[in-house]
Amino acid sequence: MTTATANPAQELIERHRPTLERALEAIRTREFFSQYPESIKAQPEGAVEAGRQAFESYLGKPFPIEVPGADGTVSTETSPYGLPLDISYPRAGVDAALTAARDAMRAWRDAGAEARAAVCVEIIDRLHARTVEIAYACMHTSGQAFGMAFQAGGPHAQDRALEAVAYAYAEMSRHAPTARWEKPQGKRGPLVMEKTFTVVPRGVALVIGCNTFPTWNSYPGLFASLATGNAVLVKPHPKAVLPLAISVAAARDVLAEAGFDPNLITLVAEQPGEKIAAELALRPEVKIIDFTGSSAFGEWLEENARQAQVYTEKAGVNTIVIDSTDDYTGMLNNVAFSLSLYTGQMCTAPQDLLIPRDGITADGERKSFDEMTRDLAGAVDALLGDEKRAVEILGAVVSDAVVGRIDRAATLGDVVLPSRSVDHPAFPGATVRTPTIVAVDAADQQAYGEECFGPVAFAVATDSTEQSIDLFRAVVGEKGALTASIYSTDERVLNAMEDAAQEVGVALSCNLTGGVYVNQSAAFSDFHGTGANAAANAALTDGAYVAGRFRVVQSRRHG
Amino acid sequence: MTTATANPAQELIERHRPTLERALEAIRTREFFSQYPESIKAQPEGAVEAGRQAFESYLGKPFPIEVPGADGTVSTETSPYGLPLDISYPRAGVDAALTAARDAMRAWRDAGAEARAAVCVEIIDRLHARTVEIAYACMHTSGQAFGMAFQAGGPHAQDRALEAVAYAYAEMSRHAPTARWEKPQGKRGPLVMEKTFTVVPRGVALVIGCNTFPTWNSYPGLFASLATGNAVLVKPHPKAVLPLAISVAAARDVLAEAGFDPNLITLVAEQPGEKIAAELALRPEVKIIDFTGSSAFGEWLEENARQAQVYTEKAGVNTIVIDSTDDYTGMLNNVAFSLSLYTGQMCTAPQDLLIPRDGITADGERKSFDEMTRDLAGAVDALLGDEKRAVEILGAVVSDAVVGRIDRAATLGDVVLPSRSVDHPAFPGATVRTPTIVAVDAADQQAYGEECFGPVAFAVATDSTEQSIDLFRAVVGEKGALTASIYSTDERVLNAMEDAAQEVGVALSCNLTGGVYVNQSAAFSDFHGTGANAAANAALTDGAYVAGRFRVVQSRRHG
């Protein structure tokens, strides 16, 4: 017996319609909205303990997930906190994964936009239910402190995922699925055609994850592609497999329960150096690629994966122009936190602080360049003075390369604040470093003019705020940026900076002195990246991010 | 004294709001809508004569238009009807045109989406007022008969332009321009940010026109780019400059009257062989390219113009699968017209007719392959038997290459219908040719498996309709197509063809037997191209066609 709700997707459509509608409203108004509570206190009783146990249950074992054409296992992760992980993952066969992905797509296409969106929301709900275990997985791969791993790897990533689903759904449903077209013909009867418009997927989508934000940076592309009818291959960073393995496994469960082929999503784990991402990226079956990582590989993808729509987030030079402030302490504390959070290992962390060499006006008084940078160093010291608190902000260093960059930065100018090592009270094996601030001159563009990923800030002495804005325009115009920020009490300066930001295409924050940081972008309201500068060719999430992931094929008949 | 309507753009916003709203509604419902009447009878009294005189006033003279950095003149057009044109155009300096374009953009960006859309609608209205002169210009460059040049070059192109403006406006206004973001913080007061979201253009847009539909194929990209804030360089085909010169001149007039820099749009005419399109396409300032023409240059642009968003319409193999019909005469007449209209020189004209070698069922009777193709030849003969009527359908051959292809086609199989020359009663210098139908076997894929642009149809004998659909899938899957069509009385066959069409990504027409032809696509309802096969990487017009033409740059401050 078949009833209207016998189709699992139908039940999901009805269950998740209110969520989807709220999300659709939020992406229009850009007002505050969050579907998934960011507070750990909102977790159900026992969830934290259960999540920890779930995480620990993976350690030292093969991870339970099926992949097409399984061909051995890979085990590539080490925790930045020194915890042994020793998790192994089945290695998918490239050809088998592509074939399975293609075979899975037809029924998914035929299910229609609403069913696909509802299934995606159900997946995200399941991910939310597993937030704690994913948080531990993010913590022990990215090196984020637990609190940050919980928020950024959990609810914030889930909100970004829902946002991508909402955009995809809005785009797929922006016109009627069928139309009766009646063209008047004067005295003769009208010409009548019945038309149907079918959303068809582009093909197989490839998501290439990064080490620092395995879920946050992967979910938008993953869900945008899946919701628009494509099958997705998820290629995690070899050092951050677990968060995506859990996510893919959850998605496969939901797809199967809803009557779809779980091979609509496949984990493609690899040994470092196998270059499976590059191999897959050039396969004709792969029509969409989402990548977060180095500019070198991102640009290689853009240049070479010609058969695919390529969405990249790469490196940039995030910049703060400091002109004047009427809340000196607020400014110093805000910038100090931005530099410290996750050891500056956020793609949105500021790097260049452009400050007039003759100082700034702060709370009505002059502060020299040296005073201001010393005060900023003091604010960082104060923030990170207590070791227990410091490690909850800093987390752990994700790779040796970061330490190398800290050391090298000290040779590039005058060290205003040296980086120091912090002992982690709970994880003696963790490498924890505080940020360094290095003063350089505007002329030393080779020092501050490109990304130095990690906890390195350059305090750049400029001739004037005007020169600061010119330098911002020049450096970001060439190298790109994900964030920019300005401090000024002068509306003309703010306007000039807004104009420069529009010209070089970077999102701007003005006079942040409270609980919002330039590093942060809020789902449903802030666009992450713009697609208008060298740091990223796409924004999370806008119409351009989803519109190219499907096509519309019409059929028409006489009515 | 300044009043609310002292700003010319403000007055245009109010005047054109109803038009824009109707267009926005039409692109959602996909129901019949046309802003610009296609009937010449709807023209005001005297408009036809005035338009003819306006056209004639250009002959033998320098065309009145300003271009940045003028550097000599070019004169490159010849009428396919043999009329001497001898119009010369100023040759723009490439650097000067790019500089002027960039300089013009800032005020245009700052005017906002609504003002830009309104100015674009005003331009299209002015083009409509000049439809007759543009029709003559299209006729004497493309070779279309006057009636077709009037409709396709005039109102149909204008409707496509308005459709592109509507999509661009919808995309730019899909979210609020400002937002107040209030994030609850439990017992503490909320975090509040005031945000603004500014649409910024990508840069300079390049439109590369074609010889056969100078306005229809150029307007969508032109207006999509202009409405989204970009400046546009219009590079016409050297043999079809006049229709775009008139259009660009009209646009410059409106822009200047509305208080904007007319160099937001520039005509870039060239000598054949100058390769200015290729030069411009690689300039870093050029961020958007719209191209209609050969697959070779389209693919070159896609491969090489890496700094730009590239939208191409190229060649394809348009196909009709003939299985069965219950309106044999209607089918034959419909296909005969599709083959004949503008000498098969439409990018949407059918080329391959896939027919079972043991014939079809027509009106309940069997018709052998030979009978059916002979009957189709008879329908073409009947349609084109009267010379005066024939030239109004056929128009003139646009280039010698088309004649060469007709001659070559005769060597590829059995000629069922030979092409014949028709004397044009009014233009003795015109080359007018009727279509040829050549019967080939399914095995002769080298004959029918690629585009043979012009009035050449291949009647391909297949083992069965099943094989026909398989061949459709294979040939169009590889070479692409802009249109496909099927005749069948069997719902299962129609479904199988719809499925194949979705798979290879081509729009399908089913059982056309009346006054709608597979060559035709109606603005606001039919998508022209899909972007899902090799014939075009974009559709006219959908969200994907406009979303990449601008970016959103936000700025946020504490509220």
Side-chain angles (χ1 to χ4, degrees):
Chain A
M1 224 176 67
T2 307
T3 68
T5 54
N7 173 358
Q10 188 58 40
E11 192 273 324
L12 293 176
I13 287 172
E14 277 152 34
R15 186 172 355 141
H16 294 305
R17 188 171 287 136
T19 302
L20 190 58
E21 279 171 6
R22 281 195 301 271
L24 288 167
E25 175 71 7
I27 61 173
R28 277 194 297 273
T29 67
R30 312 303 297 180
E31 289 170 6
F32 174 79
F33 173 67
S34 174
Q35 174 68 13
Y36 300 103
E38 69 180 3
S39 169
I40 200 162
K41 291 176 196 155
Q43 289 284 311
E45 204 182 316
V48 173
E49 180 54 22
R52 194 182 55 76
Q53 286 176 11
F55 166 71
E56 287 174 354
S57 77
Y58 299 126
L59 303 181
K61 298 207 192 99
F63 185 86
I65 193 168
E66 282 187 36
V67 299
D71 170 20
T73 60
V74 297
S75 179
T76 53
E77 295 160 300
T78 53
S79 166
Y81 290 95
L83 189 77
L85 298 177
D86 296 326
I87 308 165
S88 68
Y89 305 91
R91 194 176 169 285
V94 164
D95 287 319
L98 287 168
T99 303
R102 292 187 74 170
D103 291 348
M105 265 185 281
R106 187 178 156 156
W108 188 234
R109 173 195 81 190
D110 291 345
E114 206 173 9
R116 288 194 300 270
V119 170
C120 285
V121 176
E122 176 66 17
I123 294 171
I124 305 167
D125 274 5
R126 300 281 183 96
L127 295 173
H128 184 65
R130 298 173 76 168
T131 292
V132 177
E133 108 191 45
I134 291 172
Y136 278 108
C138 285
M139 175 183 175
H140 283 289
T141 51
S142 71
Q144 289 173 21
F146 179 76
M148 181 174 176
F150 179 91
Q151 291 197 333
H156 293 176
Q158 293 148 14
D159 276 342
R160 282 282 179 203
L162 178 60
E163 177 186 49
V165 172
Y167 266 98
Y169 180 75
E171 194 63 31
M172 291 186 289
S173 57
R174 70 188 291 162
H175 55 71
T178 60
R180 185 176 170 87
W181 178 86
E182 298 194 41
K183 181 177 180 176
Q185 296 287 290
K187 288 168 200 158
R188 287 169 293 158
L191 291 173
V192 181
M193 300 295 290
E194 296 288 349
K195 307 183 180 187
T196 62
F197 306 96
T198 304
V199 168
V200 301
R202 295 298 294 268
V204 179
L206 171 64
V207 175
I208 305 171
C210 67
N211 195 358
T212 48
F213 288 89
T215 58
W216 195 95
N217 273 104
S218 297
Y219 284 177
L222 190 166
F223 282 97
S225 285
L226 195 60
T228 47
N230 307 279
V232 183
L233 304 186
V234 179
K235 210 298 287 175
H237 192 284
K239 294 184 72 179
V241 184
L242 185 59
L244 287 173
I246 297 169
S247 304
V248 170
R252 291 174 61 91
D253 287 349
V254 173
L255 287 164
E257 286 166 30
F260 297 101
D261 187 335
N263 288 329
L264 283 166
I265 183 163
T266 292
L267 182 75
V268 184
E270 63 169 346
Q271 295 289 352
E274 268 197 277
K275 298 194 185 303
I276 284 188
E279 180 186 348
L280 282 169
L282 300 184
R283 287 290 295 248
E285 300 94 329
V286 171
K287 298 293 191 192
I288 303 169
I289 300 173
D290 286 273
F291 167 76
T292 312
S294 70
S295 291
F297 192 51
E299 285 163 12
W300 183 89
L301 289 168
E302 292 170 14
E303 288 289 326
N304 293 283
R306 311 307 317 283
Q307 84 294 350
Q309 301 275 313
V310 178
Y311 305 90
T312 59
E313 184 187 317
K314 302 164 289 184
V317 181
N318 301 325
T319 302
I320 305 183
V321 170
I322 303 181
D323 171 72
S324 53
T325 179
D326 53 14
D327 182 359
Y328 189 55
T329 306
M331 175 183 89
L332 294 175
N333 290 342
N334 188 284
V335 175
F337 188 82
S338 281
L339 298 179
S340 304
L341 185 62
Y342 185 31
T343 321
Q345 297 168 134
M346 300 178 73
C347 55
T348 50
Q351 173 184 305
D352 289 355
L353 317 178
L354 307 181
I355 309 160
R357 70 178 83 257
D358 61 359
I360 67 165
T361 304
D363 301 341
E365 289 175 20
R366 293 301 294 173
K367 298 280 179 187
S368 73
F369 178 91
D370 288 348
E371 262 179 295
M372 203 230 94
T373 51
R374 267 202 314 272
D375 289 345
L376 179 60
V380 173
D381 274 338
L383 179 69
L384 304 176
D386 173 65
E387 285 206 342
K388 211 166 157 190
R389 187 183 171 200
V391 297
E392 291 310 319
I393 295 168
L394 292 166
V397 170
V398 71
S399 77
D400 293 343
V402 170
V403 177
R405 276 182 222 113
I406 299 170
D407 295 344
R408 184 172 165 273
T411 68
L412 297 174
D414 298 331
V415 176
V416 179
L417 175 70
S419 171
R420 61 188 174 81
S421 293
V422 178
D423 291 332
H424 199 297
F427 296 102
T431 302
V432 181
R433 295 291 295 262
T434 65
T436 181
I437 302 173
V438 179
V440 297
D441 191 85
D444 302 332
Q445 208 169 310
Q446 78 290 354
Y448 65 85
E450 54 188 51
E451 190 183 56
C452 179
F453 184 79
V456 175
F458 294 103
V460 183
T462 67
D463 294 344
S464 62
T465 293
E466 203 184 333
Q467 193 199 19
S468 295
I469 294 176
D470 286 347
L471 277 176
F472 161 73
R473 206 184 251 112
V475 171
V476 175
E478 188 193 339
K479 300 289 183 173
L482 285 166
T483 61
S485 163
I486 181 161
Y487 289 91
S488 180
T489 56
D490 184 339
E491 198 62 33
R492 287 166 307 177
V493 171
L494 294 173
N495 288 342
M497 184 67 179
E498 280 192 344
D499 198 63
Q502 288 178 15
E503 230 178 81
V504 299
V506 61
L508 182 68
S509 296
C510 303
N511 292 322
L512 296 181
T513 52
V516 172
Y517 302 94
V518 67
N519 328 32
Q520 299 172 321
S521 78
F524 301 104
S525 183
D526 293 318
F527 295 101
H528 173 75
T530 63
N533 68 62
N537 77 355
L540 304 181
T541 293
D542 63 9
Y545 190 67
V546 295
R549 293 178 195 261
F550 67 91
R551 296 300 192 193
V552 175
V553 175
Q554 71 173 65
S555 178
R556 59 182 183 178
R557 304 183 182 193
H558 288 302
Chain B
M1 222 178 67
T2 307
T3 68
T5 54
N7 173 359
Q10 188 58 41
E11 192 272 324
L12 293 176
I13 288 172
E14 277 152 35
R15 187 173 354 141
H16 295 305
R17 186 172 288 134
T19 302
L20 191 58
E21 280 172 6
R22 281 195 302 270
L24 287 166
E25 175 71 7
I27 61 174
R28 277 193 298 272
T29 67
R30 311 305 295 182
E31 290 171 5
F32 174 79
F33 173 67
S34 174
Q35 174 68 14
Y36 300 102
E38 69 180 3
S39 169
I40 200 163
K41 291 176 197 155
Q43 289 285 309
E45 204 181 315
V48 174
E49 180 55 22
R52 194 181 56 75
Q53 286 176 10
F55 166 71
E56 288 175 354
S57 78
Y58 299 127
L59 304 181
K61 297 205 193 100
F63 185 84
I65 193 169
E66 282 187 35
V67 299
D71 171 20
T73 61
V74 297
S75 180
T76 53
E77 295 160 298
T78 53
S79 167
Y81 291 94
L83 188 77
L85 298 178
D86 296 327
I87 307 165
S88 68
Y89 304 90
R91 194 175 167 285
V94 165
D95 287 319
L98 287 168
T99 303
R102 291 187 75 171
D103 290 348
M105 265 186 280
R106 187 179 155 155
W108 187 234
R109 173 195 81 190
D110 291 345
E114 207 174 9
R116 287 194 301 269
V119 170
C120 286
V121 176
E122 176 65 19
I123 295 171
I124 306 167
D125 274 5
R126 300 280 185 96
L127 295 173
H128 184 65
R130 297 173 76 167
T131 291
V132 177
E133 109 191 42
I134 290 173
Y136 277 108
C138 286
M139 174 184 177
H140 283 289
T141 50
S142 71
Q144 290 173 20
F146 179 75
M148 181 174 177
F150 180 90
Q151 290 195 335
H156 293 178
Q158 293 148 14
D159 275 343
R160 282 282 178 204
L162 178 61
E163 178 186 50
V165 172
Y167 265 98
Y169 180 75
E171 194 63 30
M172 291 186 289
S173 57
R174 71 189 291 162
H175 55 72
T178 61
R180 184 175 169 87
W181 178 87
E182 298 194 42
K183 181 176 181 178
Q185 295 287 292
K187 287 167 200 159
R188 286 170 292 158
L191 291 173
V192 181
M193 300 296 288
E194 296 288 350
K195 307 184 181 187
T196 62
F197 305 97
T198 304
V199 169
V200 300
R202 296 299 294 269
V204 179
L206 171 64
V207 175
I208 304 171
C210 67
N211 195 357
T212 49
F213 288 89
T215 58
W216 195 95
N217 273 103
S218 297
Y219 284 177
L222 189 166
F223 282 96
S225 285
L226 195 60
T228 47
N230 307 278
V232 184
L233 304 185
V234 179
K235 210 298 288 175
H237 192 285
K239 293 182 74 179
V241 184
L242 185 59
L244 288 173
I246 297 169
S247 304
V248 170
R252 291 173 62 90
D253 287 349
V254 173
L255 287 163
E257 287 167 30
F260 297 102
D261 187 334
N263 288 329
L264 282 167
I265 183 164
T266 292
L267 182 76
V268 184
E270 63 168 345
Q271 295 289 353
E274 268 196 278
K275 299 196 186 301
I276 284 188
E279 180 186 348
L280 281 169
L282 301 184
R283 287 290 295 248
E285 299 94 329
V286 171
K287 297 294 191 190
I288 303 170
I289 300 173
D290 286 273
F291 167 77
T292 311
S294 70
S295 291
F297 192 51
E299 285 163 12
W300 183 89
L301 288 168
E302 291 170 14
E303 288 289 326
N304 293 283
R306 310 308 317 283
Q307 85 293 351
Q309 301 276 313
V310 178
Y311 305 90
T312 59
E313 184 188 318
K314 302 164 287 184
V317 181
N318 301 323
T319 301
I320 304 182
V321 170
I322 303 181
D323 171 72
S324 53
T325 179
D326 54 14
D327 181 0
Y328 189 53
T329 306
M331 175 183 88
L332 294 175
N333 290 342
N334 188 284
V335 175
F337 188 83
S338 281
L339 298 179
S340 304
L341 185 61
Y342 185 31
T343 322
Q345 298 168 133
M346 299 179 74
C347 55
T348 51
Q351 173 184 305
D352 289 354
L353 318 177
L354 307 181
I355 309 160
R357 70 179 82 256
D358 61 359
I360 67 167
T361 304
D363 303 341
E365 289 175 18
R366 292 303 292 174
K367 297 280 179 188
S368 72
F369 179 90
D370 288 347
E371 262 178 297
M372 203 230 93
T373 52
R374 269 202 312 270
D375 289 344
L376 179 60
V380 173
D381 273 340
L383 179 69
L384 303 176
D386 175 65
E387 285 205 345
K388 211 166 156 191
R389 187 183 171 201
V391 297
E392 290 310 317
I393 295 168
L394 292 165
V397 171
V398 71
S399 76
D400 293 343
V402 170
V403 177
R405 274 182 224 115
I406 299 171
D407 295 344
R408 183 171 168 272
T411 68
L412 297 175
D414 298 329
V415 176
V416 179
L417 175 69
S419 171
R420 61 188 173 81
S421 294
V422 178
D423 290 332
H424 199 297
F427 296 101
T431 302
V432 182
R433 294 291 295 263
T434 64
T436 182
I437 301 174
V438 179
V440 296
D441 191 84
D444 302 332
Q445 208 169 310
Q446 79 289 355
Y448 66 84
E450 54 188 53
E451 189 184 57
C452 179
F453 184 79
V456 175
F458 294 103
V460 183
T462 67
D463 294 343
S464 62
T465 293
E466 203 184 335
Q467 194 198 18
S468 295
I469 295 176
D470 285 347
L471 276 177
F472 161 73
R473 206 185 252 110
V475 172
V476 174
E478 188 192 340
K479 300 288 184 175
L482 284 166
T483 62
S485 163
I486 182 160
Y487 289 91
S488 180
T489 57
D490 185 339
E491 199 62 34
R492 287 167 308 177
V493 171
L494 294 174
N495 288 342
M497 184 67 178
E498 280 191 344
D499 198 63
Q502 287 178 15
E503 229 177 83
V504 298
V506 61
L508 182 68
S509 297
C510 303
N511 292 321
L512 296 181
T513 52
V516 172
Y517 303 94
V518 66
N519 327 32
Q520 298 173 322
S521 78
F524 302 104
S525 183
D526 293 318
F527 295 102
H528 173 75
T530 63
N533 69 61
N537 78 354
L540 304 182
T541 294
D542 63 8
Y545 190 67
V546 295
R549 293 178 195 260
F550 67 91
R551 296 299 193 194
V552 175
V553 175
Q554 71 174 63
S555 178
R556 59 182 181 178
R557 303 182 183 192
H558 288 300

